[in-house]
Amino acid sequence: MDSIIVTGNGPLNGDIPIAGAKNACLALMPATLLSEEPLTLTNAPRLSDIKTMTALLESLGAEVTKMQDGKVIAMASHGEISPVADYDIVRKMRASNLVLGPLLARMGHAVVSLPGGCAIGARPMDLHVDALTAMGAEIELKEGYLHAKTNGGLKGAVHELRFASVGATENVLMAATLAKGTTVLKNAAREPEIVDLADCLRKMGAQIEGDGTSTIEIQGVDRLHGATHPVVTDRIELGTYMLAPAFCGGEVTCLGGRIDLIGAFCEKLDAAGIEVTECARGLTVKRRGDRIKAVDIVTEPFPGFPTDLQAQMMALLCLADGTSVLEEKIFENRFMHAPELVRMGANIDVQGGVATVHGVEKMKGAPVMATDLRASVSLILAGLAAEGETIVNRVYHLDRGYERVEEKLGNVGAKIERITGQ
Ligand code: EPZ
């Protein structure tokens, strides 16, 4: 297992390129199952989660070809497609559940393993099941697999999600493109990744309106054709690297960054004393003074403050002048980075879904353990400003969502290196 060693160093200066969005790409790739014609994605991120999705689609019978060092993914599912998504692959990545809607739409039946919980929560699939059932699917849980079938194909339906689930919205969006009739999905998720998926499906011939709002209307069509689509910029990688100069000073431009992708996050940066300037190349970020101010955070579905940036913001607020209160309202167990930050000298009190962070002047490097994707990068960020060496272990979590983190941060002046483990 690899580790990453970060040594507190001076200010960071320069450009950080932002890749295509992991969470958009993981929804776009299963869309290949909706058509027998090729679907090609450009600006794809090079991540282990993308490799996992590739393995899953190939296990179903799709052809996946990576080009340009993985930035282009050409897919085709014109052969025999299997409806069975096996536990061995699905258990590695919850987003594997995004083949459920496309398989039901394409084949009328699917057998998809439940992903099981993960470090940040139980993450059930009841919202996916309720919505697809409303569209005429019969779904039964047997031996850890969802057995889904439709008699005569999915039908359009009006359905309201109990919670604006990103994955459930994506499964319904893809399933409804080939359903008979019109589907109206209420309380739909509004994340930019939903809009990106809708844009791609429209290029394939789908009829979709309202994506990006809480009500999406999809008019089913008989078939979809192939398309080529660029993956939208990764707003979570963007927000993560925007914080780097806030930790240790300097000025960093995140290439390709757009404020509309992370409006709520930028409002909190402004309140904390971090200046964000939008320019043609992307977003330029610098700290206004020597120390950031405390701010309170509540995570919410888009356009609220993203849960995927909560850990990174907590790491920064550990050094703030004052006390910050962070409330995590999306996942039930997403403060596992807190005890690791405390090992570095942070002062954090966690009570259920609320973490109170009392800012300290300085943190000290320490060996720490990554527990999930975003927690691991929050420890790397903390290491940028800590005195001495921080050794982040189990960085396989990191490689799921951040391509070449040591290169991107090293290129702007961070002292960071990867130690390849056995
Ligand atoms: C997506 O997960 C993202 N993953 C997550 O990013 C992100 O944190 C999450 O959306 C929220 O924004 C991908 O897009 C691949 P949800 P998803 O369905 O779709 C509960 C990262 O770090 N829920 O919106 O699984 C669920 O337990 C990852 O990149 C149900 O109760 O999120 C959670 O508490 C982590 N029943 C909440 O809703 C369901 O059927 C949000 O889940 C589905 C979800």
Side-chain angles (χ1 to χ4, degrees):
M1 274 187 249
D2 291 4
S3 302
I4 284 188
I5 301 181
V6 193
T7 307
N9 203 5
L12 303 178
N13 288 288
D15 294 347
I16 297 182
I18 303 302
K22 165 180 84 80
N23 290 347
C25 199
L26 290 174
L28 291 164
M29 290 175 75
T32 187
L33 297 168
L34 293 168
S35 169
E36 303 213 358
E37 296 180 23
L39 173 61
T40 299
L41 301 176
T42 59
N43 193 39
R46 282 70 60 89
L47 302 166
S48 58
D49 270 10
I50 303 305
K51 291 195 180 92
T52 304
M53 182 58 81
T54 299
L56 174 61
L57 291 174
E58 287 175 336
S59 76
L60 297 175
E63 289 164 19
V64 183
T65 310
K66 302 282 179 69
M67 294 175 277
Q68 292 179 32
D69 186 27
K71 286 201 80 165
V72 174
I73 304 176
M75 297 171 286
S77 56
H78 43 64
E80 187 67 29
I81 293 297
S82 156
V84 181
D86 199 81
Y87 173 66
D88 269 354
I89 298 180
V90 175
R91 69 182 173 79
K92 290 182 194 147
M93 182 181 67
R94 175 183 172 79
S96 306
N97 65 12
L98 295 175
V99 299
L100 177 60
L103 284 174
L104 269 180
R106 166 83 176 258
M107 308 185 69
H109 61 280
V111 180
V112 176
S113 167
L114 271 183
C118 71
I120 61 178
R123 305 183 78 181
M125 279 190 63
D126 54 317
L127 299 175
H128 301 241
V129 170
D130 293 351
L132 293 169
T133 302
M135 296 174 68
E138 289 170 31
I139 304 180
E140 198 187 348
L141 175 61
K142 275 192 288 194
E143 292 151 24
Y145 282 78
L146 290 176
H147 290 254
K149 63 178 189 299
T150 65
N151 300 316
L154 291 168
K155 298 171 189 62
V158 178
H159 180 75
E160 178 158 357
L161 290 174
R162 172 174 54 80
F163 172 82
S165 157
V166 171
T169 301
E170 289 163 340
N171 256 329
V172 171
L173 192 51
M174 289 189 276
T177 56
L178 296 175
K180 290 183 183 57
T182 302
T183 297
V184 177
L185 183 63
K186 296 181 177 178
N187 196 26
R190 300 170 53 190
E191 276 69 3
E193 292 76 36
I194 305 287
V195 175
D196 201 41
L197 175 61
D199 283 344
C200 178
L201 292 169
R202 274 189 286 265
K203 285 177 188 169
M204 297 171 74
Q207 292 181 23
I208 302 167
E209 290 178 357
D211 45 291
T213 74
S214 298
T215 302
I216 304 178
E217 186 169 314
I218 307 108
Q219 176 66 43
V221 295
D222 293 337
R223 61 186 295 280
L224 295 179
H225 49 73
T228 296
H229 179 76
V231 178
V232 69
T233 301
D234 191 323
R235 62 194 169 96
I236 305 303
E237 188 193 27
L238 170 62
T240 301
Y241 288 126
M242 287 172 71
L243 290 176
F247 275 85
C248 35
E251 183 171 301
V252 167
T253 296
C254 294
L255 302 179
R258 293 172 14 209
I259 285 197
D260 68 295
L261 293 172
I262 43 167
F265 175 74
C266 289
E267 283 168 21
K268 288 297 179 183
L269 294 191
D270 181 51
I274 298 154
E275 191 173 294
V276 179
T277 311
E278 193 157 30
C279 60
R281 298 190 312 132
L283 298 182
T284 300
V285 187
K286 64 182 180 185
R287 198 173 57 190
R288 286 200 191 98
D290 288 339
R291 196 171 179 202
I292 61 139
K293 302 188 193 74
V295 293
D296 294 341
I297 302 287
V298 179
T299 63
E300 294 172 311
F302 194 88
F305 189 99
T307 175
D308 293 348
L309 284 170
Q310 177 261 108
Q312 300 91 314
M313 195 68 182
M314 181 189 285
L316 180 66
L317 293 171
C318 290
L319 295 168
D321 179 8
T323 296
S324 308
V325 177
L326 292 91
E327 187 178 2
E328 172 56 60
K329 291 177 73 175
I330 304 293
F331 289 105
E332 62 266 32
N333 185 30
R334 204 170 196 178
F335 285 144
M336 286 167 300
H337 41 287
E340 298 305 307
L341 291 165
V342 168
R343 290 171 49 76
M344 298 173 71
N347 181 350
I348 306 170
D349 175 37
V350 172
Q351 298 291 333
V354 178
T356 303
V357 181
H358 306 281
V360 296
E361 300 256 341
K362 224 18 173 160
M363 294 208 280
K364 290 199 177 356
V368 288
M369 180 83 73
T371 50
D372 69 82
L373 169 59
R374 309 302 175 184
S376 51
V377 82
S378 74
L379 301 172
I380 296 230
L381 291 174
L384 292 173
E387 273 167 10
E389 265 189 4
T390 298
I391 304 166
V392 182
N393 296 303
R394 295 191 181 183
V395 290
Y396 58 83
H397 290 296
L398 196 68
D399 296 334
R400 291 189 53 185
Y402 291 91
E403 58 176 60
R404 308 191 320 277
V405 65
E406 63 274 18
E407 185 183 311
K408 293 192 176 186
L409 285 173
N411 285 348
V412 293
K415 267 184 85 177
I416 180 170
E417 62 171 325
R418 179 183 290 256
I419 309 296
T420 305
Q422 53 278 5

